[in-house]
């Protein structure tokens, strides 16, 4: 049975490989039958920016971003994130902290990185 899953990425992709790995895992979940939403907190929004130079495992990220775009994986970012920093080709919603908390609580499963 399909589950609703939130993949919460809160680590800085300039400091660790874990955000890129989390995005790869989210891509695998979306390719299955699960309804998956990715929540980017803190500096994790950099995964969807034009400036990827300082990202750990940039080669892996660049390999998966076209699939992320094609599958229209839904991303949720905090409303205080500057939309000008995010590439337009991704499916992004900006929500309040309370809405993000409620969304995460409503999911069947949550993976936090």
């Amino acid at each position: 049975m399909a589950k609703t899953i939130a993949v919460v990425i809160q680590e800085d992709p300039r400091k660790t490989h874990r955000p890129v790995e989390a995005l790869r895992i989210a891509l695998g979940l979306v390719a299955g039958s699960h309804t998956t939403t990715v929540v980017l907190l803190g500096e994790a929004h950099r995964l969807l920016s034009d400036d990827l130079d300082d990202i750990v495992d940039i080669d892996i990220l660049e390999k998966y971003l076209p699939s992320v775009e094609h599958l229209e994986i839904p991303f949720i970012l905090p409303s205080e994130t500057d939309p000008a920093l995010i590439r337009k080709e991704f499916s992004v919603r900006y929500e309040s902290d309370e809405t993000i908390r409620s969304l995460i609580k409503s999911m069947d499963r949550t993976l936090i990185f």
Side-chain angles (χ1 to χ4, degrees):
M1 183 170 159
K3 304 280 186 199
T4 57
I5 300 173
V7 177
V8 180
I9 306 173
Q10 58 188 359
E11 294 187 66
D12 188 337
R14 298 171 299 174
K15 296 181 179 175
T16 178
H17 71 281
R18 288 174 49 88
V20 172
E21 180 66 12
L23 196 55
R24 186 191 66 76
I25 290 168
L27 184 59
L29 291 168
V30 168
S33 61
H34 302 293
T35 303
T36 305
T37 302
V38 178
V39 179
L40 300 178
L41 303 175
E43 295 299 316
H45 72 272
R46 294 178 180 278
L47 293 170
L48 303 182
S49 75
D50 281 323
D51 184 19
L52 301 175
D53 293 336
D54 294 336
I55 303 241
V56 176
D57 285 344
I58 186 172
D59 52 329
I60 296 170
L61 178 63
E62 289 177 331
K63 181 171 134 180
Y64 288 114
L65 283 178
S67 296
V68 168
E69 178 187 356
H70 176 74
L71 292 172
E72 298 178 346
I73 294 177
F75 288 91
I76 297 179
L77 281 73
S79 54
E80 61 269 5
T81 305
D82 182 358
L85 299 174
I86 307 302
R87 293 167 42 188
K88 304 297 182 227
E89 60 262 36
F90 298 105
S91 176
V92 176
R93 282 187 1 232
Y94 299 90
E95 299 289 352
S96 69
D97 291 343
E98 182 58 39
T99 301
I100 291 171
R101 276 191 291 277
S102 294
L103 171 87
I104 292 169
K105 286 181 186 178
S106 73
M107 295 290 178
D108 293 322
R109 302 284 186 270
T110 302
L111 304 172
I112 301 175
F113 295 87

